[in-house]
C-alpha cells in the first residue's frame, strides 16, 4: 500500500475488508490519539501520555505507567476503552494489560510485529518524557510534551508579549515577575508556553526542581494525599520546587479545600523567591469561581494575554507542523499554498484544532503531500474540516435547547438531581456537547455543575450505546442536532 502514516494489513471478513495494523507502535499511536480525544487533554496528559507500551518476558503487551496511582487510575477509567480501541485496530487481536514501572522491572525486550522478522522497538511514551527521580532536586517532567518547545512556537501579534515573558522566566533572570499568569482562550498556546518554559528552565539548570502540573492533576493528587494521610509529603513535594508551572487554573474553582492548599503553596513558594507560572482561560480578576484571596494572589504578579492567532500565524503553524511531521518521515515534500490556506480558512477554531486537521491530512496523504491539490485535500479531510463559515455552537446553547425539548429548566441539567426524567436528558446534552463543540470532557463537566470528567465520559458512552437500540433516543438526538445546527 503506497505512502501514508501506517503500514497496514487487510483481513477479509465476508465480503468486507477491515483495516488492521500489526505494528504495535503504530497501533498505540492511533489508539492513543483516539483516546486523547475521548477523555480530554488533562487526564490524557496526566495518566496516559507519561506511560509506554512494552512487551513483558512472555511477549504480552503491557501499558507501563510511571506510578501505582496512575496504574490504578487507568484500570478504573481507561483500560476497558483502551482495549476496545486497541482490538479494533490490531490484526493479531492482542490485549493490553497495565502495570506500574516498579512492577514491570527492567526495560522490556523489543516488541515484534508480525511478518518476516521485522522488529519494532519498545514503544516510548508518546510525545512526553517520564519523571526523573534520582536525587532530591531532580527535574519532574511528567506530562510534558517534547515537541512543545520555544523553537516550535510560532510568534504573532497576539502572543509576542507572553512569549517574551516566558523566555525571560525560563532563563532564570533576576528581577522576574512572580507569579506570571498566562490567560487566553482554549487551544491558542498557553500550554505550549508552559511546556517550553519547563524544557528551557531545566536545560539551563539541570539540578533545579521544575514541576509541571495541570490543575486537575493537582486536585486529584491532593485528594489522594488527604485520603492516604500523606498531605505533609504532598506539601513538601511542591514547596521544595524551584519552579512550579500550573495549567488550567480555572478548574480549581468551587473547590474550597483545594483552593486553600493552592493558596498556601503559592504563598510559600513566592516568599522563598521560587518561580511560579500559571495559565487559565481568563484573567485572574475574572475568575469569579475562585475564592477572593487566591484570586488576589494570582493577579499580584504579571498577567500576560495569549490572544487568538491571526491568519498569518495559523498559516505558519500549519507549515511548521507539516515540517515536523516530515522530519519524522510521516510526510514527504511541502504542502501547496492553496492546501495550507484551505486548512486555515476551514478550521476557524483554535490552533490546536488546526494542528488536528494537519495531522489528519498528513495521515491520509503521507508521501503524496506535495502533489495534493486543495480539492483532494478537502476530500481526504472530510468531516475534519468545517464547511465554510459554520456557526459555532456553545455548551450554554445546547443546555437550553435540550431543556426546552424535554420541558425542563436549564438549571435542572446542572443540578445534583439524578431522577431518570433529568438524568437521561443531561446525558444527551453531554453527548451533544462532545459531538458539536470542541470542549474537553473536564471542561464539559465543569459546565454541568462541576461534574467530574468521568461522569461526562460515562454519559456520552451511555447515549452512544443506547442510540442503536432505542429509537426514541435516536430521534431525540437527531431532532436536537438539526435544531442546533439550524
Amino acid at each position: 500500500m503506497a505512502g501514508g502514516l501506517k503500514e497496514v494489513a487487510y483481513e477479509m471478513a465476508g465480503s468486507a475488508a477491515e483495516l488492521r495494523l500489526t505494528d504495535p507502535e503504530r497501533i498505540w499511536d492511533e489508539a492513543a490519539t483516539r483516546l486523547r480525544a475521548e477523555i480530554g487533554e488533562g487526564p490524557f496528559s496526566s495518566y496516559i501520555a507519561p506511560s509506554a507500551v512494552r512487551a513483558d518476558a512472555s511477549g504480552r503487551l503491557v501499558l507501563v505507567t510511571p506510578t501505582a496511582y496512575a496504574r490504578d487510575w487507568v484500570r478504573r477509567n481507561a483500560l476497558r476503552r483502551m482495549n476496545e480501541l486497541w482490538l479494533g485496530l490490531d490484526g493479531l487481536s492482542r490485549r493490553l494489560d497495565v502495570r506500574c514501572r516498579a512492577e514491570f522491572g527492567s526495560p522490556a525486550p523489543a516488541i515484534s510485529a508480525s511478518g518476516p522478522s521485522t522488529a519494532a522497538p519498545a514503544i516510548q511514551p508518546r510525545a512526553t518524557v517520564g519523571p526523573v527521580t534520582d536525587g532530591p532536586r531532580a527535574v519532574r517532567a511528567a506530562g510534558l510534551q517534547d515537541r512543545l518547545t520555544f523553537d516550535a512556537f510560532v510568534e504573532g501579534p497576539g502572543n509576542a508579549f507572553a512569549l517574551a515573558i516566558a523566555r525571560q522566566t525560563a532563563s532564570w533572570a533576576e528581577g522576574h515577575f512572580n507569579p506570571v499568569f498566562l490567560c487566553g482562550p482554549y487551544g491558542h498556546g498557553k500550554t505550549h508556553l508552559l511546556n517550553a518554559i519547563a524544557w528551557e528552565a531545566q536545560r539551563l539548570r539541570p539540578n533545579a526542581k521544575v514541576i509541571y502540573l495541570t490543575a486537575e492533576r493537582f486536585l486529584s493528587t491532593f485528594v489522594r494525599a488527604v485520603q492516604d494521610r500523606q498531605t505533609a509529603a504532598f506539601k513538601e513535594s511542591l514547596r521544595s520546587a524551584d519552579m512550579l508551572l500550573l495549567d488550567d487554573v480555572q478548574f480549581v474553582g468551587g473547590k474550597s479545600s483545594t483552593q486553600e492548599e493552592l493558596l498556601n503553596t503559592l504563598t510559600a513558594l513566592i516568599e522563598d523567591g521560587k518561580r511560579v507560572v500559571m495559565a487559565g482561560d481568563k484573567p485572574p480578576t475574572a475568575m469569579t469561581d475562585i475564592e477572593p484571596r487566591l484570586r488576589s494572589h494570582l493577579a499580584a504578579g504579571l498577567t500576560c494575554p495569549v490572544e487568538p492567532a491571526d491568519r498569518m500565524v495559523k498559516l505558519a503553524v500549519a507549515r511548521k507542523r507539516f515540517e515536523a511531521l516530515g522530519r519524522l518521515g510521516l510526510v514527504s515534500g511541502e504542502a501547496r499554498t492553496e492546501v495550507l490556506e484551505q486548512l486555515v480558512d476551514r478550521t476557524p477554531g483554535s490552533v490546536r484544532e488546526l494542528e488536528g486537521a494537519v495531522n489528519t491530512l498528513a495521515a491520509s496523504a503521507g508521501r503524496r503531500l506535495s502533489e495534493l491539490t486543495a480539492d483532494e485535500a478537502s476530500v481526504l479531510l472530510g468531516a475534519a474540516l468545517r464547511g465554510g463559515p459554520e456557526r459555532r455552537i456553545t455548551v450554554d446553547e445546547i443546555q437550553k435547547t435540550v431543556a426546552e425539548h424535554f420541558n425542563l429548566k436549564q438549571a435542572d441539567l446542572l443540578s445534583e438531581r439524578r431522577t431518570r426524567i433529568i438524568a437521561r436528558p443531561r446525558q444527551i446534552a453531554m453527548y451533544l456537547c462532545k459531538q458539536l463543540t470542541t470542549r474537553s470532557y473536564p471542561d464539559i463537566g465543569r459546565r454541568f455543575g462541576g461534574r467530574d470528567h468521568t461522569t461526562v465520559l460515562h454519559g456520552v458512552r451511555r447515549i452512544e450505546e443506547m442510540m442503536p437500540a432505542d429509537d426514541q433516543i435516536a430521534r431525540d438526538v437527531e431532532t436536537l442536532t438539526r435544531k442546533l445546527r439550524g
Side-chain angles (χ1 to χ4, degrees), residues 51-82:
S51 306
V53 174
R54 298 185 182 278
D56 64 15
S58 65
R60 182 182 177 85
L61 299 183
V62 179
L63 181 72
V64 181
T65 64
T67 65
Y69 179 59
R71 174 204 62 200
D72 294 343
W73 187 95
V74 170
R75 280 180 179 162
R76 287 195 308 269
N77 302 289
L79 186 59
R80 182 179 68 83
R81 181 55 179 157
M82 194 183 298

Side-chain angles (χ1 to χ4, degrees), residues 224-242:
R224 183 61 178 264
V226 171
Q227 293 171 344
D228 294 347
R229 300 181 181 180
Q230 296 290 324
T231 53
F234 172 81
K235 292 176 181 180
E236 173 60 25
S237 69
L238 292 183
R239 297 178 194 183
S240 60
D242 296 296

Side-chain angles (χ1 to χ4, degrees), residues 179-190:
V180 172
F181 196 97
L182 307 174
C183 64
Y186 170 85
H188 285 283
K190 301 187 302 297

